[in-house]
Amino acid sequence: MKTKICLSNVGKTFRMHLREGIELPVVDNVSFAVAEGECVILGGPSGSGKSSVLKMIYGNYRCPKGQILITDGEEIINVAQAAPRRIIRLRDNTIGYVSQFLRAIPRVPALRLVADPLIAQGVSEEEALAQARVLLTRLNVPERLWQLPPATFSGGEQQRVNIARGFIAHYPILLLDEPTASLDAKNRAVVVELVEEKKKKGVAMLGILHDHEARDQIADRIIDVTQFKAAA
Amino acid sequence: MQTSEMTQTTADASEDLPLLRVSSATKYYGDRIGCKDVNFELYPGEVLAIVGESGSGKTTLLNCLSTRLAPTSGVIEYRNRQGAMRNLYQMSEAERRMLMRTDWGFVHQHASDGLRMSVSAGANVGERLMAVGARHYGDIRSTAIDWLDRVEIAEDRIDDDPRAFSGGMRQRLQIARNLVTNPRLVFMDEPTGGLDVSVQARLLDLIRGLVSDLGLSVIIVTHDLAVARLLSDRTLVMRRGHVIETGLTDQVLDDPQEAYTQLLVSSILQP
Ligand SMILES: Nc1ncnc2c1ncn2[C@@H]1O[C@H](COP(=O)(O)OP(=O)(O)OP(=O)(O)O)[C@@H](O)[C@H]1O
Ligand SMILES: Nc1ncnc2c1ncn2[C@@H]1O[C@H](COP(=O)(O)OP(=O)(O)OP(=O)(O)O)[C@@H](O)[C@H]1O
Ligand SMILES: [Mg+2]
Ligand SMILES: [Mg+2]
């Protein structure tokens, strides 16, 4: 099995200039790897740095220490050092990220928002919209909402739009930050199915999932991030 | 799985070439710093936001880049359509004017600075086409109508002059006037400044759509971090004439490193 994500000795400290420059060490010496077709879950209590690790892999947080290697086709890219436009290219083609919250874009309808990542990967608009309809249907987002911008949707509806948006495209790597947090049992089950389908396609997944039932269903391994606790 | 299984590939042969290269760009107004020692490269299709408080040098920098204001020192180079990197301030005046007319657009905060207020909307758009050699009246008019439509201005307003337009419409007209010549690089200085929030949202959405459809490279000055978030790939943060922080826009906004950037980000609710 091919390694898709590999962290070695990653460390992160936040420096809070507005609070007398105090330093907040979050994690240190984070080392682990995720292979294709594998779903690895990061465990640990609130504030232990799970989301920070995902965000560093996505290039959303800076990675000041260590290496974050990502397999991108024939290339291996170190996100910790990569140029911004290289990271953008990774995000277009290689790494998908499903966060807990949808960032709505003014005036863009839900259906289009979901289809966008697939269009960005070169799929025709018609085909992308068709797939978006399928996913929104599976996730039980009422059809009357599809043409509306999601800014006014309920938390759970927004999250399902977000999940559809995250799962629609073909990313070899998928990062999931509590994708089921505000979903009911029925929709959680859909997410579990979606993850299983991605696994079969060889997608490497790294996620955070508090819901134990869903976690037991999809996790191949659980990595406790408290083992990477940074010395204060 | 061993960490050593993966070794980083360094060279990336598929990297394309920068469209604009800025080296040590500096502008003094007498003793006062306008902008100092600015360095960056802009690649085709990239949207770069320049943010910072009032007086930090954003407009000064933008004007230096767009040849509207000669820098005191430093080099600004632009890759022309033939692929050659040209020093903007070593070009002839005629060559530079041609760039401004064809390859570049400039969207001003005040539409009245970018439009001719006394001629019709159609002529405002058509004029730019004529400047690049279009001569056929029917073609010019139909292209103008097409562009007015793309910026959501109804065809029956084509003969009105922009004085009769609302602020948002004027701004959309200014965008049409700039984009009609298919520029490769567009400079924008606070394009949504001074507009109502709902008008801003519509304009931003329009800009976002056009930038991605046309694959434009854009340098946009804004003090509104939400605008930077929505439109840009990368952000430069300026303070007192200096670029103090740069990076992917979401990185700069979500994980700001400098004290000043942290202050900027914390002073708004959710950028
Ligand atoms: N951008 C930031 N700036 C400053 N501190 C941050 C930032 N992001 C996270 N932190 C801090 O880093 C620590 C780890 O946060 P993180 O969100 O990674 O935890 P988590 O394990 O995902 O927690 P939860 O389970 O509650 O989501 C927390 O103390 C948090 O306050
Ligand atoms: N023509 C000028 N003559 C003298 N000083 C100038 C001139 N234009 C700008 N300055 C000064 O240069 C500095 C940078 O100004 P600039 O207009 O570039 O700021 P800005 O970041 O665009 O601000 P704003 O957000 O208010 O538009 C300021 O201190 C300003 O007073
Ligand atoms: Mg978290
Ligand atoms: Mg200004």
Side-chain angles (χ1 to χ4, degrees):
Chain A
M1 274 197 308
K2 206 170 168 191
T3 304
K4 290 288 188 178
I5 307 173
C6 181
L7 278 69
S8 44
N9 296 314
V10 166
K12 179 73 180 169
T13 296
F14 290 103
R15 193 184 166 91
M16 323 278 270
H17 290 284
L18 306 182
R19 291 169 46 200
E20 288 92 42
I22 60 160
E23 303 219 326
L24 184 73
V26 179
V27 288
D28 200 9
N29 294 315
V30 183
S31 301
F32 66 86
V34 184
E36 62 187 357
E38 196 183 23
C39 180
V40 174
I41 298 296
L42 296 177
S46 177
S48 56
K50 305 178 295 295
S51 295
S52 298
V53 170
L54 282 197
K55 288 174 180 175
M56 283 191 283
I57 296 171
Y58 198 59
N60 176 218
Y61 280 3
R62 290 177 207 253
C63 173
K65 176 171 177 279
Q67 275 194 333
I68 298 176
L69 302 182
I70 295 293
T71 302
D72 184 23
E74 297 303 303
E75 283 179 74
I76 291 173
I77 304 298
N78 181 5
V79 174
Q81 303 282 335
R85 32 196 236 97
R86 192 65 186 85
I87 295 177
I88 289 172
R89 194 133 60 85
L90 280 177
R91 291 177 181 180
D92 281 344
N93 300 316
T94 308
I95 311 180
Y97 180 87
V98 183
S99 65
Q100 197 176 330
F101 303 102
L102 176 73
R103 201 175 274 284
I105 300 173
R107 301 218 309 160
V108 179
L111 186 67
R112 176 72 202 204
L113 206 58
V114 172
D116 266 347
L118 202 52
I119 295 171
Q121 292 189 342
V123 172
S124 77
E125 192 171 320
E126 195 187 349
E127 169 64 21
L129 289 172
Q131 290 195 34
R133 285 188 200 97
V134 171
L135 269 175
L136 287 172
T137 306
R138 283 185 72 182
L139 285 156
N140 305 295
V141 177
E143 194 170 342
R144 63 183 162 80
L145 297 178
W146 295 0
Q147 294 304 334
L148 301 176
T152 56
F153 293 8
S154 76
E157 286 162 353
Q158 291 200 11
Q159 198 180 357
R160 279 175 281 147
V161 169
N162 207 27
I163 290 165
R165 182 175 156 88
F167 278 88
I168 193 168
H170 309 295
Y171 300 112
I173 294 171
L174 210 46
L175 307 173
L176 309 169
D177 195 343
E178 304 192 30
T180 60
S182 47
L183 300 186
D184 55 20
K186 183 169 92 176
N187 286 304
R188 271 205 305 272
V190 178
V191 174
V192 170
E193 269 172 42
L194 290 171
V195 169
E196 291 298 340
E197 289 166 19
K198 289 287 184 193
K199 254 197 222 184
K200 289 204 186 81
K201 288 182 183 152
V203 173
M205 279 173 287
L206 179 64
I208 301 167
L209 210 59
H210 286 306
D211 172 49
H212 286 277
E213 203 185 313
R215 187 204 292 210
D216 292 343
Q217 285 171 292
I218 65 172
D220 295 304
R221 271 189 298 144
I222 295 176
I223 295 176
D224 185 349
V225 300
T226 49
Q227 67 184 295
F228 307 124
K229 194 168 167 46
Chain B
M1 232 149 333
Q2 287 301 306
T3 302
S4 57
E5 244 181 59
M6 287 175 84
T7 19
Q8 189 192 347
T9 34
T10 40
D12 184 351
S14 64
E15 302 285 81
D16 41 359
L17 300 163
L19 189 62
L20 191 76
R21 184 187 297 132
V22 182
S23 315
S24 311
T26 298
K27 171 69 193 177
Y28 278 95
Y29 298 104
D31 294 340
R32 169 177 293 184
I33 292 177
C35 64
K36 192 165 161 60
D37 259 331
V38 177
N39 296 286
F40 70 90
E41 289 179 339
L42 183 80
Y43 285 80
E46 255 189 332
V47 179
L48 176 77
I50 304 175
V51 304
E53 68 196 348
S54 180
S56 57
K58 305 181 296 295
T59 296
T60 300
L61 176 60
L62 195 73
N63 287 343
C64 288
L65 302 178
S66 56
T67 73
R68 299 158 50 81
L69 180 70
T72 312
S73 62
V75 177
I76 300 160
E77 295 160 290
Y78 175 72
R79 190 175 307 277
N80 64 20
R81 290 192 195 238
Q82 287 70 47
M85 212 55 175
R86 302 275 284 121
N87 182 330
L88 290 177
Y89 289 93
Q90 285 175 2
M91 286 181 174
S92 69
E93 189 56 38
E95 210 177 338
R96 236 188 286 166
R97 208 166 324 123
M98 198 58 199
L99 262 193
M100 298 270 259
R101 270 194 208 148
T102 57
D103 263 26
W104 293 359
F106 196 105
V107 177
H108 298 259
Q109 174 174 356
H110 301 288
S112 56
D113 294 334
L115 291 174
R116 288 222 289 143
M117 299 303 281
S118 55
V119 306
S120 72
N124 262 288
V125 177
E127 220 174 44
R128 283 267 294 189
L129 279 176
M130 281 155 68
V132 297
R135 287 292 170 264
H136 187 276
Y137 177 79
D139 290 349
I140 293 172
R141 191 164 169 96
S142 67
T143 307
I145 290 171
D146 183 44
W147 267 98
L148 291 178
D149 180 58
R150 290 185 79 162
V151 299
E152 303 168 13
I153 294 174
E155 190 180 335
D156 63 7
R157 304 300 301 268
I158 187 170
D159 296 317
D160 292 352
D161 71 41
R163 282 176 300 208
F165 286 4
S166 68
M169 278 174 84
R170 285 181 190 182
Q171 211 52 314
R172 282 182 272 128
L173 177 62
Q174 195 191 179
I175 288 168
R177 176 177 160 97
N178 272 281
L179 297 188
V180 69
T181 56
N182 293 315
R184 298 159 77 208
L185 173 58
V186 179
F187 301 95
M188 301 187 183
D189 195 353
E190 303 275 7
T192 60
L195 299 173
D196 284 353
V197 177
S198 64
V199 177
Q200 266 190 31
R202 180 170 177 198
L203 185 66
L204 281 173
D205 183 47
L206 181 85
I207 294 174
R208 201 180 67 88
L210 289 170
V211 165
S212 85
D213 290 351
L214 304 171
L216 292 175
S217 307
V218 177
I219 301 183
I220 179 170
V221 162
T222 178
H223 64 267
D224 185 342
L225 299 185
V227 170
R229 165 92 73 184
L230 189 67
L231 294 180
S232 70
D233 305 309
R234 264 196 313 141
T235 293
L236 300 186
V237 182
M238 291 192 75
R239 186 180 194 215
R240 297 184 184 150
H242 295 264
V243 172
I244 58 152
E245 183 162 354
T246 74
L248 277 172
T249 296
D250 63 89
Q251 203 177 58
V252 169
L253 298 182
D254 295 339
D255 187 15
Q257 304 294 301
E258 297 298 318
Y260 175 70
T261 317
Q262 291 187 358
L263 185 66
L264 267 188
V265 170
S266 71
S267 57
I268 45 169
L269 286 172
Q270 204 217 11

